[in-house]
PDB file of all heavy atoms in Angstrom:
ATOM      1  N   ASN A 729       0.830  -1.189  -0.052  1.00 97.00           N
ATOM      2  CA  ASN A 729       0.000  -0.007   0.025  1.00 97.00           C
ATOM      3  C   ASN A 729       0.814   1.291  -0.012  1.00 97.00           C
ATOM      4  O   ASN A 729       0.391   2.292   0.434  1.00 97.00           O
ATOM      5  CB  ASN A 729      -0.898   0.011   1.139  1.00 97.00           C
ATOM      6  CG  ASN A 729      -1.795  -1.177   1.345  1.00 97.00           C
ATOM      7  OD1 ASN A 729      -2.527  -1.540   0.280  1.00 97.00           O
ATOM      8  ND2 ASN A 729      -1.719  -1.942   2.377  1.00 97.00           N
ATOM      9  N   HIS A 730       2.121   1.182  -0.500  1.00 98.00           N
ATOM     10  CA  HIS A 730       2.869   2.397  -0.635  1.00 98.00           C
ATOM     11  C   HIS A 730       2.899   2.851  -2.034  1.00 98.00           C
ATOM     12  O   HIS A 730       3.226   2.148  -2.972  1.00 98.00           O
ATOM     13  CB  HIS A 730       4.298   1.980  -0.151  1.00 98.00           C
ATOM     14  CG  HIS A 730       4.613   1.993   1.203  1.00 98.00           C
ATOM     15  ND1 HIS A 730       3.880   1.119   2.124  1.00 98.00           N
ATOM     16  CD2 HIS A 730       5.364   2.588   2.105  1.00 98.00           C
ATOM     17  CE1 HIS A 730       4.300   1.226   3.315  1.00 98.00           C
ATOM     18  NE2 HIS A 730       5.055   2.242   3.445  1.00 98.00           N
ATOM     19  N   TYR A 731       2.535   4.079  -2.158  1.00 98.00           N
ATOM     20  CA  TYR A 731       2.494   4.788  -3.485  1.00 98.00           C
ATOM     21  C   TYR A 731       3.223   6.106  -3.700  1.00 98.00           C
ATOM     22  O   TYR A 731       2.796   7.079  -3.030  1.00 98.00           O
ATOM     23  CB  TYR A 731       0.953   4.998  -3.723  1.00 98.00           C
ATOM     24  CG  TYR A 731       0.083   3.799  -3.614  1.00 98.00           C
ATOM     25  CD1 TYR A 731      -0.657   3.769  -2.494  1.00 98.00           C
ATOM     26  CD2 TYR A 731      -0.067   2.851  -4.565  1.00 98.00           C
ATOM     27  CE1 TYR A 731      -1.519   2.614  -2.196  1.00 98.00           C
ATOM     28  CE2 TYR A 731      -0.917   1.682  -4.387  1.00 98.00           C
ATOM     29  CZ  TYR A 731      -1.697   1.635  -3.163  1.00 98.00           C
ATOM     30  OH  TYR A 731      -2.451   0.525  -3.091  1.00 98.00           O
ATOM     31  N   PRO A 732       4.388   6.077  -4.176  1.00 98.00           N
ATOM     32  CA  PRO A 732       5.171   7.220  -4.459  1.00 98.00           C
ATOM     33  C   PRO A 732       4.542   8.280  -5.407  1.00 98.00           C
ATOM     34  O   PRO A 732       4.137   7.727  -6.687  1.00 98.00           O
ATOM     35  CB  PRO A 732       6.571   6.797  -4.976  1.00 98.00           C
ATOM     36  CG  PRO A 732       6.338   5.524  -5.643  1.00 98.00           C
ATOM     37  CD  PRO A 732       5.041   4.854  -4.853  1.00 98.00           C
ATOM     38  N   ILE A 733       4.158   9.462  -5.021  1.00 98.00           N
ATOM     39  CA  ILE A 733       3.331  10.325  -5.802  1.00 98.00           C
ATOM     40  C   ILE A 733       4.225  11.497  -6.469  1.00 98.00           C
ATOM     41  O   ILE A 733       4.230  11.586  -7.616  1.00 98.00           O
ATOM     42  CB  ILE A 733       2.220  11.003  -4.958  1.00 98.00           C
ATOM     43  CG1 ILE A 733       1.435   9.926  -4.268  1.00 98.00           C
ATOM     44  CG2 ILE A 733       1.380  11.969  -5.792  1.00 98.00           C
ATOM     45  CD1 ILE A 733       0.510   9.204  -5.305  1.00 98.00           C
ATOM     46  N   MET A 734       5.115  12.139  -5.641  1.00 98.00           N
ATOM     47  CA  MET A 734       5.800  13.287  -5.945  1.00 98.00           C
ATOM     48  C   MET A 734       7.222  13.137  -5.681  1.00 98.00           C
ATOM     49  O   MET A 734       7.609  12.399  -4.719  1.00 98.00           O
ATOM     50  CB  MET A 734       5.331  14.550  -5.154  1.00 98.00           C
ATOM     51  CG  MET A 734       6.136  15.784  -5.388  1.00 98.00           C
ATOM     52  SD  MET A 734       5.666  17.125  -4.293  1.00 98.00           S
ATOM     53  CE  MET A 734       3.952  17.671  -4.685  1.00 98.00           C
ATOM     54  N   MET A 735       7.983  13.549  -6.688  1.00 98.00           N
ATOM     55  CA  MET A 735       9.460  13.545  -6.353  1.00 98.00           C
ATOM     56  C   MET A 735      10.155  14.911  -6.721  1.00 98.00           C
ATOM     57  O   MET A 735       9.540  15.658  -7.640  1.00 98.00           O
ATOM     58  CB  MET A 735      10.221  12.504  -7.371  1.00 98.00           C
ATOM     59  CG  MET A 735       9.603  11.066  -7.228  1.00 98.00           C
ATOM     60  SD  MET A 735      10.390   9.886  -8.316  1.00 98.00           S
ATOM     61  CE  MET A 735      10.014  10.576  -9.954  1.00 98.00           C
ATOM     62  N   SER A 736      11.225  15.125  -6.176  1.00 98.00           N
ATOM     63  CA  SER A 736      11.927  16.486  -6.519  1.00 98.00           C
ATOM     64  C   SER A 736      13.356  16.419  -6.210  1.00 98.00           C
ATOM     65  O   SER A 736      13.783  16.087  -4.996  1.00 98.00           O
ATOM     66  CB  SER A 736      11.220  17.682  -5.773  1.00 98.00           C
ATOM     67  OG  SER A 736      11.816  18.802  -6.183  1.00 98.00           O
ATOM     68  N   LYS A 737      14.145  16.919  -7.108  1.00 97.00           N
ATOM     69  CA  LYS A 737      15.682  17.072  -6.794  1.00 97.00           C
ATOM     70  C   LYS A 737      16.034  18.328  -6.204  1.00 97.00           C
ATOM     71  O   LYS A 737      17.086  18.617  -5.900  1.00 97.00           O
ATOM     72  CB  LYS A 737      16.421  16.818  -8.170  1.00 97.00           C
ATOM     73  CG  LYS A 737      17.812  16.254  -7.910  1.00 97.00           C
ATOM     74  CD  LYS A 737      18.312  15.683  -9.271  1.00 97.00           C
ATOM     75  CE  LYS A 737      19.731  14.962  -8.933  1.00 97.00           C
ATOM     76  NZ  LYS A 737      19.456  13.756  -8.327  1.00 97.00           N
ATOM     77  N   SER A 738      14.921  19.197  -6.097  1.00 97.00           N
ATOM     78  CA  SER A 738      15.116  20.514  -5.592  1.00 97.00           C
ATOM     79  C   SER A 738      15.048  20.634  -4.058  1.00 97.00           C
ATOM     80  O   SER A 738      15.473  21.517  -3.450  1.00 97.00           O
ATOM     81  CB  SER A 738      14.131  21.506  -6.308  1.00 97.00           C
ATOM     82  OG  SER A 738      14.157  21.591  -7.622  1.00 97.00           O
ATOM     83  N   TYR A 739      14.366  19.636  -3.420  1.00 98.00           N
ATOM     84  CA  TYR A 739      14.188  19.659  -2.083  1.00 98.00           C
ATOM     85  C   TYR A 739      15.015  18.660  -1.374  1.00 98.00           C
ATOM     86  O   TYR A 739      15.236  17.546  -1.949  1.00 98.00           O
ATOM     87  CB  TYR A 739      12.696  19.429  -1.698  1.00 98.00           C
ATOM     88  CG  TYR A 739      11.826  20.595  -2.111  1.00 98.00           C
ATOM     89  CD1 TYR A 739      11.187  20.570  -3.443  1.00 98.00           C
ATOM     90  CD2 TYR A 739      11.384  21.558  -1.179  1.00 98.00           C
ATOM     91  CE1 TYR A 739      10.457  21.564  -3.838  1.00 98.00           C
ATOM     92  CE2 TYR A 739      10.445  22.464  -1.644  1.00 98.00           C
ATOM     93  CZ  TYR A 739      10.006  22.519  -2.812  1.00 98.00           C
ATOM     94  OH  TYR A 739       9.184  23.545  -3.238  1.00 98.00           O
ATOM     95  N   ASN A 740      15.609  18.965  -0.152  1.00 98.00           N
ATOM     96  CA  ASN A 740      16.156  17.868   0.506  1.00 98.00           C
ATOM     97  C   ASN A 740      15.388  17.448   1.723  1.00 98.00           C
ATOM     98  O   ASN A 740      14.353  17.829   1.865  1.00 98.00           O
ATOM     99  CB  ASN A 740      17.708  18.337   1.000  1.00 98.00           C
ATOM    100  CG  ASN A 740      17.632  19.625   1.958  1.00 98.00           C
ATOM    101  OD1 ASN A 740      16.782  19.680   2.775  1.00 98.00           O
ATOM    102  ND2 ASN A 740      18.408  20.617   1.499  1.00 98.00           N
ATOM    103  N   HIS A 741      15.958  16.585   2.525  1.00 98.00           N
ATOM    104  CA  HIS A 741      15.238  15.961   3.643  1.00 98.00           C
ATOM    105  C   HIS A 741      14.637  17.045   4.632  1.00 98.00           C
ATOM    106  O   HIS A 741      13.536  16.801   5.111  1.00 98.00           O
ATOM    107  CB  HIS A 741      16.200  14.952   4.469  1.00 98.00           C
ATOM    108  CG  HIS A 741      15.470  14.253   5.448  1.00 98.00           C
ATOM    109  ND1 HIS A 741      14.859  13.031   5.227  1.00 98.00           N
ATOM    110  CD2 HIS A 741      15.320  14.352   6.786  1.00 98.00           C
ATOM    111  CE1 HIS A 741      14.315  12.583   6.296  1.00 98.00           C
ATOM    112  NE2 HIS A 741      14.467  13.353   7.248  1.00 98.00           N
ATOM    113  N   SER A 742      15.370  17.984   4.940  1.00 96.00           N
ATOM    114  CA  SER A 742      14.937  19.039   5.947  1.00 96.00           C
ATOM    115  C   SER A 742      14.027  20.058   5.486  1.00 96.00           C
ATOM    116  O   SER A 742      13.320  20.695   6.262  1.00 96.00           O
ATOM    117  CB  SER A 742      16.203  19.633   6.575  1.00 96.00           C
ATOM    118  OG  SER A 742      17.081  18.716   7.179  1.00 96.00           O
ATOM    119  N   ASP A 743      13.972  20.449   4.155  1.00 96.00           N
ATOM    120  CA  ASP A 743      13.095  21.460   3.779  1.00 96.00           C
ATOM    121  C   ASP A 743      11.847  21.043   3.052  1.00 96.00           C
ATOM    122  O   ASP A 743      10.984  22.010   2.689  1.00 96.00           O
ATOM    123  CB  ASP A 743      13.913  22.404   2.849  1.00 96.00           C
ATOM    124  CG  ASP A 743      14.642  21.909   1.777  1.00 96.00           C
ATOM    125  OD1 ASP A 743      14.129  20.894   1.123  1.00 96.00           O
ATOM    126  OD2 ASP A 743      15.666  22.421   1.253  1.00 96.00           O
ATOM    127  N   ILE A 744      11.620  19.797   2.850  1.00 98.00           N
ATOM    128  CA  ILE A 744      10.421  19.449   2.018  1.00 98.00           C
ATOM    129  C   ILE A 744       9.224  19.729   2.790  1.00 98.00           C
ATOM    130  O   ILE A 744       8.060  19.836   2.226  1.00 98.00           O
ATOM    131  CB  ILE A 744      10.498  17.948   1.459  1.00 98.00           C
ATOM    132  CG1 ILE A 744       9.275  17.728   0.472  1.00 98.00           C
ATOM    133  CG2 ILE A 744      10.371  17.071   2.743  1.00 98.00           C
ATOM    134  CD1 ILE A 744       9.455  16.333  -0.149  1.00 98.00           C
ATOM    135  N   HIS A 745       9.266  19.701   4.156  1.00 98.00           N
ATOM    136  CA  HIS A 745       7.938  19.944   4.890  1.00 98.00           C
ATOM    137  C   HIS A 745       7.768  21.432   5.332  1.00 98.00           C
ATOM    138  O   HIS A 745       6.855  21.877   6.006  1.00 98.00           O
ATOM    139  CB  HIS A 745       7.975  19.139   6.170  1.00 98.00           C
ATOM    140  CG  HIS A 745       9.053  19.573   7.294  1.00 98.00           C
ATOM    141  ND1 HIS A 745      10.315  19.540   7.097  1.00 98.00           N
ATOM    142  CD2 HIS A 745       8.762  20.063   8.578  1.00 98.00           C
ATOM    143  CE1 HIS A 745      10.941  19.962   8.063  1.00 98.00           C
ATOM    144  NE2 HIS A 745      10.064  20.238   9.049  1.00 98.00           N
ATOM    145  N   ASN A 746       8.676  22.320   4.897  1.00 97.00           N
ATOM    146  CA  ASN A 746       8.559  23.713   5.048  1.00 97.00           C
ATOM    147  C   ASN A 746       7.754  24.575   4.100  1.00 97.00           C
ATOM    148  O   ASN A 746       7.335  24.090   3.054  1.00 97.00           O
ATOM    149  CB  ASN A 746       9.917  24.279   5.305  1.00 97.00           C
ATOM    150  CG  ASN A 746      10.667  23.738   6.490  1.00 97.00           C
ATOM    151  OD1 ASN A 746      10.023  23.465   7.570  1.00 97.00           O
ATOM    152  ND2 ASN A 746      12.024  23.642   6.512  1.00 97.00           N
ATOM    153  N   ALA A 747       7.791  25.785   4.323  1.00 97.00           N
ATOM    154  CA  ALA A 747       6.935  26.672   3.502  1.00 97.00           C
ATOM    155  C   ALA A 747       7.538  27.211   2.226  1.00 97.00           C
ATOM    156  O   ALA A 747       6.945  27.651   1.233  1.00 97.00           O
ATOM    157  CB  ALA A 747       6.242  27.866   4.322  1.00 97.00           C
ATOM    158  N   GLN A 748       8.870  27.148   2.315  1.00 96.00           N
ATOM    159  CA  GLN A 748       9.654  27.786   1.322  1.00 96.00           C
ATOM    160  C   GLN A 748       9.621  26.976  -0.071  1.00 96.00           C
ATOM    161  O   GLN A 748       9.864  25.720   0.018  1.00 96.00           O
ATOM    162  CB  GLN A 748      11.124  28.170   1.653  1.00 96.00           C
ATOM    163  CG  GLN A 748      11.222  29.006   2.742  1.00 96.00           C
ATOM    164  CD  GLN A 748      10.864  28.571   4.162  1.00 96.00           C
ATOM    165  OE1 GLN A 748      10.999  27.378   4.370  1.00 96.00           O
ATOM    166  NE2 GLN A 748      10.460  29.360   4.993  1.00 96.00           N
ATOM    167  N   ARG A 749       9.524  27.616  -1.146  1.00 96.00           N
ATOM    168  CA  ARG A 749       9.648  26.929  -2.436  1.00 96.00           C
ATOM    169  C   ARG A 749      11.172  26.812  -2.805  1.00 96.00           C
ATOM    170  O   ARG A 749      11.836  27.661  -2.718  1.00 96.00           O
ATOM    171  CB  ARG A 749       8.969  27.677  -3.648  1.00 96.00           C
ATOM    172  CG  ARG A 749       9.020  27.036  -4.972  1.00 96.00           C
ATOM    173  CD  ARG A 749       8.531  27.838  -6.146  1.00 96.00           C
ATOM    174  NE  ARG A 749       8.925  27.128  -7.308  1.00 96.00           N
ATOM    175  CZ  ARG A 749      10.035  27.289  -7.961  1.00 96.00           C
ATOM    176  NH1 ARG A 749      10.961  28.196  -7.539  1.00 96.00           N
ATOM    177  NH2 ARG A 749      10.326  26.598  -9.055  1.00 96.00           N
ATOM    178  N   LYS A 750      11.522  25.572  -3.227  1.00 96.00           N
ATOM    179  CA  LYS A 750      12.960  25.375  -3.732  1.00 96.00           C
ATOM    180  C   LYS A 750      13.119  25.162  -5.106  1.00 96.00           C
ATOM    181  O   LYS A 750      14.097  25.230  -5.640  1.00 96.00           O
ATOM    182  CB  LYS A 750      13.519  24.150  -2.790  1.00 96.00           C
ATOM    183  CG  LYS A 750      13.411  24.356  -1.371  1.00 96.00           C
ATOM    184  CD  LYS A 750      14.394  25.395  -0.985  1.00 96.00           C
ATOM    185  CE  LYS A 750      14.709  25.669   0.524  1.00 96.00           C
ATOM    186  NZ  LYS A 750      15.736  26.629   0.841  1.00 96.00           N
ATOM    187  N   GLY A 751      11.915  24.661  -5.666  1.00 96.00           N
ATOM    188  CA  GLY A 751      12.167  24.303  -7.131  1.00 96.00           C
ATOM    189  C   GLY A 751      10.994  23.482  -7.727  1.00 96.00           C
ATOM    190  O   GLY A 751      10.056  23.102  -6.888  1.00 96.00           O
ATOM    191  N   ASN A 752      11.052  23.142  -9.026  1.00 96.00           N
ATOM    192  CA  ASN A 752      10.041  22.276  -9.460  1.00 96.00           C
ATOM    193  C   ASN A 752      10.004  20.904  -8.999  1.00 96.00           C
ATOM    194  O   ASN A 752      11.053  20.351  -8.467  1.00 96.00           O
ATOM    195  CB  ASN A 752      10.306  22.171 -10.989  1.00 96.00           C
ATOM    196  CG  ASN A 752       9.873  23.427 -11.783  1.00 96.00           C
ATOM    197  OD1 ASN A 752       9.198  24.307 -11.191  1.00 96.00           O
ATOM    198  ND2 ASN A 752      10.375  23.635 -13.033  1.00 96.00           N
ATOM    199  N   VAL A 753       8.831  20.253  -9.034  1.00 98.00           N
ATOM    200  CA  VAL A 753       8.668  18.901  -8.557  1.00 98.00           C
ATOM    201  C   VAL A 753       7.951  18.108  -9.693  1.00 98.00           C
ATOM    202  O   VAL A 753       7.384  18.754 -10.562  1.00 98.00           O
ATOM    203  CB  VAL A 753       7.843  18.711  -7.256  1.00 98.00           C
ATOM    204  CG1 VAL A 753       8.392  19.610  -6.196  1.00 98.00           C
ATOM    205  CG2 VAL A 753       6.361  19.107  -7.491  1.00 98.00           C
ATOM    206  N   THR A 754       8.216  16.818  -9.728  1.00 98.00           N
ATOM    207  CA  THR A 754       7.553  16.006 -10.706  1.00 98.00           C
ATOM    208  C   THR A 754       6.731  14.904 -10.026  1.00 98.00           C
ATOM    209  O   THR A 754       6.636  14.847  -8.788  1.00 98.00           O
ATOM    210  CB  THR A 754       8.604  15.408 -11.678  1.00 98.00           C
ATOM    211  OG1 THR A 754       8.088  14.695 -12.765  1.00 98.00           O
ATOM    212  CG2 THR A 754       9.457  14.344 -10.832  1.00 98.00           C
ATOM    213  N   ILE A 755       6.171  14.063 -10.805  1.00 97.00           N
ATOM    214  CA  ILE A 755       5.363  12.895 -10.298  1.00 97.00           C
ATOM    215  C   ILE A 755       6.040  11.639 -10.627  1.00 97.00           C
ATOM    216  O   ILE A 755       6.722  11.459 -11.504  1.00 97.00           O
ATOM    217  CB  ILE A 755       4.007  12.916 -10.862  1.00 97.00           C
ATOM    218  CG1 ILE A 755       3.956  12.789 -12.520  1.00 97.00           C
ATOM    219  CG2 ILE A 755       3.187  14.128 -10.557  1.00 97.00           C
ATOM    220  CD1 ILE A 755       2.732  12.345 -13.145  1.00 97.00           C
ATOM    221  N   ALA A 756       5.608  10.560  -9.721  1.00 97.00           N
ATOM    222  CA  ALA A 756       5.963   9.221  -9.963  1.00 97.00           C
ATOM    223  C   ALA A 756       4.894   8.383 -10.383  1.00 97.00           C
ATOM    224  O   ALA A 756       4.597   8.061 -11.616  1.00 97.00           O
ATOM    225  CB  ALA A 756       6.697   8.702  -8.726  1.00 97.00           C
ATOM    226  N   MET A 757       3.922   8.119  -9.446  1.00 96.00           N
ATOM    227  CA  MET A 757       2.613   7.652  -9.816  1.00 96.00           C
ATOM    228  C   MET A 757       1.677   8.871  -9.655  1.00 96.00           C
ATOM    229  O   MET A 757       1.974   9.796  -9.111  1.00 96.00           O
ATOM    230  CB  MET A 757       2.105   6.658  -8.726  1.00 96.00           C
ATOM    231  CG  MET A 757       3.006   5.511  -8.797  1.00 96.00           C
ATOM    232  SD  MET A 757       2.287   4.202  -7.433  1.00 96.00           S
ATOM    233  CE  MET A 757       3.631   2.994  -7.498  1.00 96.00           C
ATOM    234  N   ASN A 758       0.435   8.906 -10.384  1.00 93.00           N
ATOM    235  CA  ASN A 758      -0.438   9.887 -10.212  1.00 93.00           C
ATOM    236  C   ASN A 758      -1.796   9.229 -10.175  1.00 93.00           C
ATOM    237  O   ASN A 758      -2.167   8.160 -10.686  1.00 93.00           O
ATOM    238  CB  ASN A 758      -0.418  10.841 -11.559  1.00 93.00           C
ATOM    239  CG  ASN A 758      -0.782  12.168 -11.158  1.00 93.00           C
ATOM    240  OD1 ASN A 758      -1.003  12.554 -10.006  1.00 93.00           O
ATOM    241  ND2 ASN A 758      -0.811  13.116 -12.278  1.00 93.00           N
ATOM    242  N   ASN A 759      -2.816   9.999  -9.563  1.00 92.00           N
ATOM    243  CA  ASN A 759      -4.136   9.649  -9.500  1.00 92.00           C
ATOM    244  C   ASN A 759      -4.375   8.373  -8.691  1.00 92.00           C
ATOM    245  O   ASN A 759      -4.778   7.305  -9.247  1.00 92.00           O
ATOM    246  CB  ASN A 759      -4.806   9.408 -10.906  1.00 92.00           C
ATOM    247  CG  ASN A 759      -4.676  10.576 -11.784  1.00 92.00           C
ATOM    248  OD1 ASN A 759      -4.935  11.794 -11.300  1.00 92.00           O
ATOM    249  ND2 ASN A 759      -4.131  10.504 -13.077  1.00 92.00           N
ATOM    250  N   VAL A 760      -4.043   8.351  -7.443  1.00 94.00           N
ATOM    251  CA  VAL A 760      -4.180   7.287  -6.523  1.00 94.00           C
ATOM    252  C   VAL A 760      -5.425   7.446  -5.857  1.00 94.00           C
ATOM    253  O   VAL A 760      -5.785   8.613  -5.385  1.00 94.00           O
ATOM    254  CB  VAL A 760      -3.086   7.251  -5.492  1.00 94.00           C
ATOM    255  CG1 VAL A 760      -3.448   6.163  -4.398  1.00 94.00           C
ATOM    256  CG2 VAL A 760      -1.719   6.992  -6.135  1.00 94.00           C
ATOM    257  N   ASN A 761      -6.336   6.284  -5.704  1.00 93.00           N
ATOM    258  CA  ASN A 761      -7.554   6.429  -5.032  1.00 93.00           C
ATOM    259  C   ASN A 761      -7.527   6.394  -3.596  1.00 93.00           C
ATOM    260  O   ASN A 761      -6.954   5.299  -2.902  1.00 93.00           O
ATOM    261  CB  ASN A 761      -8.494   5.327  -5.557  1.00 93.00           C
ATOM    262  CG  ASN A 761     -10.029   5.432  -4.974  1.00 93.00           C
ATOM    263  OD1 ASN A 761     -10.287   4.997  -4.022  1.00 93.00           O
ATOM    264  ND2 ASN A 761     -10.819   5.956  -5.830  1.00 93.00           N
ATOM    265  N   VAL A 762      -8.141   7.458  -2.867  1.00 94.00           N
ATOM    266  CA  VAL A 762      -8.307   7.402  -1.451  1.00 94.00           C
ATOM    267  C   VAL A 762      -9.681   7.500  -1.046  1.00 94.00           C
ATOM    268  O   VAL A 762     -10.176   8.613  -1.183  1.00 94.00           O
ATOM    269  CB  VAL A 762      -7.360   8.379  -0.775  1.00 94.00           C
ATOM    270  CG1 VAL A 762      -7.533   8.444   0.669  1.00 94.00           C
ATOM    271  CG2 VAL A 762      -5.887   8.009  -1.111  1.00 94.00           C
ATOM    272  N   GLU A 763     -10.341   6.573  -0.599  1.00 92.00           N
ATOM    273  CA  GLU A 763     -11.751   6.641  -0.125  1.00 92.00           C
ATOM    274  C   GLU A 763     -12.665   7.252  -1.377  1.00 92.00           C
ATOM    275  O   GLU A 763     -13.315   8.301  -0.929  1.00 92.00           O
ATOM    276  CB  GLU A 763     -11.768   7.405   1.064  1.00 92.00           C
ATOM    277  CG  GLU A 763     -11.170   6.727   2.310  1.00 92.00           C
ATOM    278  CD  GLU A 763     -12.018   5.682   2.832  1.00 92.00           C
ATOM    279  OE1 GLU A 763     -13.172   5.911   3.250  1.00 92.00           O
ATOM    280  OE2 GLU A 763     -11.589   4.527   3.082  1.00 92.00           O
ATOM    281  N   ASP A 764     -12.476   6.890  -2.512  1.00 92.00           N
ATOM    282  CA  ASP A 764     -13.145   7.389  -3.686  1.00 92.00           C
ATOM    283  C   ASP A 764     -12.774   8.749  -4.050  1.00 92.00           C
ATOM    284  O   ASP A 764     -13.437   9.464  -4.810  1.00 92.00           O
ATOM    285  CB  ASP A 764     -14.619   7.291  -3.386  1.00 92.00           C
ATOM    286  CG  ASP A 764     -15.214   5.844  -3.292  1.00 92.00           C
ATOM    287  OD1 ASP A 764     -14.579   4.966  -4.021  1.00 92.00           O
ATOM    288  OD2 ASP A 764     -16.062   5.683  -2.558  1.00 92.00           O
ATOM    289  N   ASN A 765     -11.733   9.275  -3.463  1.00 93.00           N
ATOM    290  CA  ASN A 765     -11.005  10.612  -3.808  1.00 93.00           C
ATOM    291  C   ASN A 765      -9.859  10.268  -4.732  1.00 93.00           C
ATOM    292  O   ASN A 765      -9.043   9.575  -4.448  1.00 93.00           O
ATOM    293  CB  ASN A 765     -10.711  11.442  -2.798  1.00 93.00           C
ATOM    294  CG  ASN A 765     -11.911  11.927  -1.777  1.00 93.00           C
ATOM    295  OD1 ASN A 765     -12.726  12.674  -2.274  1.00 93.00           O
ATOM    296  ND2 ASN A 765     -12.031  11.146  -0.663  1.00 93.00           N
TER     297      ASN A 765
END
C-alpha cells in the first residue's frame, strides 16, 4: 500500500515539509484512489 506520488531533486530531507519553495517537482505515480477521492 505504498504509492510514491511526488519527487523532486530541488528539495532535501529537511526542507520538504517547510513553506519555502525550492524548485520544480515531478510525479512518480499519479491519480491514486483514497476513499473514492
